[in-house]
Amino acid sequence: MITSAFAQAAGGPAGGPPGSSDVILQLVPFALIFVILYFLIIRPQQKRAKDHANLIKNLRRGDSVVTNGGLIGKITKVIDDAEIELEIAPNVRVRMARAMISEVRAKGEPVKEQS
C-alpha cells in the first residue's frame, strides 16, 4: 500500500537531486542581508577610517586640534610619525599619540622655528 506521503516525497526536480533548488532559495535572503550590511555599515566605516588616517597624516605645526578626550590645543611640534607635542594652555605642553586626534579645528601656518 502506497500512502500519499510516500508519493509526494518521491518527486523532485527533473534535473537534480531532490531539494537542491530549495537550498539556493534559502541562501538568497542571507546574501541580501550581507549586501545591505556592506553598504550600510562596512563601507561607510572603511571610508571614515581612511579619512581619519589622512587627517592624522596631514597634521602639522600650528594646527588647532581636538583630542579624543576633549582637550583643545595647538600643535607646537611634530615629534615623529606617532607623536606630537600639543600646547593646551600657555606654557603647558603635552606629548600625545597622533592617533588620539579626532578633529582639526583650524589649519594653521607652521610657526617659524626659534633658535
Side-chain angles (χ1 to χ4, degrees):
M1 172 158 80
I2 298 176
T3 64
S4 63
F6 287 122
Q8 289 176 354
S20 66
S21 65
D22 293 341
V23 173
I24 294 172
L25 288 176
Q26 288 177 357
L27 292 178
V28 169
F30 290 113
L32 287 174
I33 289 171
F34 179 75
V35 168
I36 291 169
L37 286 177
Y38 176 76
F39 283 108
L40 292 179
I41 297 173
I42 298 170
R43 191 166 171 230
Q45 181 62 30
Q46 287 176 341
K47 184 179 184 292
R48 195 174 304 122
K50 184 178 178 182
D51 290 344
H52 187 258
N54 192 26
L55 174 111
I56 296 291
K57 185 177 77 172
N58 293 324
L59 289 176
R60 62 182 186 193
R61 200 172 57 226
D63 290 350
S64 179
V65 296
V66 179
T67 67
N68 285 344
L71 292 175
I72 300 172
K74 185 176 271 191
I75 297 175
T76 57
K77 186 178 184 183
V78 177
I79 297 169
D80 59 13
D81 289 342
E83 292 182 2
I84 59 171
E85 188 175 273
L86 189 68
E87 185 173 20
I88 55 176
N91 296 324
V92 179
R93 295 180 178 168
V94 294
R95 286 177 70 167
M96 97 182 307
R98 275 186 179 221
M100 293 296 109
I101 301 298
S102 63
E103 174 186 352
V104 175
R105 285 250 172 122
K107 285 289 202 181
E109 292 299 319
V111 180
K112 188 173 183 177
E113 190 72 31
Q114 295 178 358
S115 48

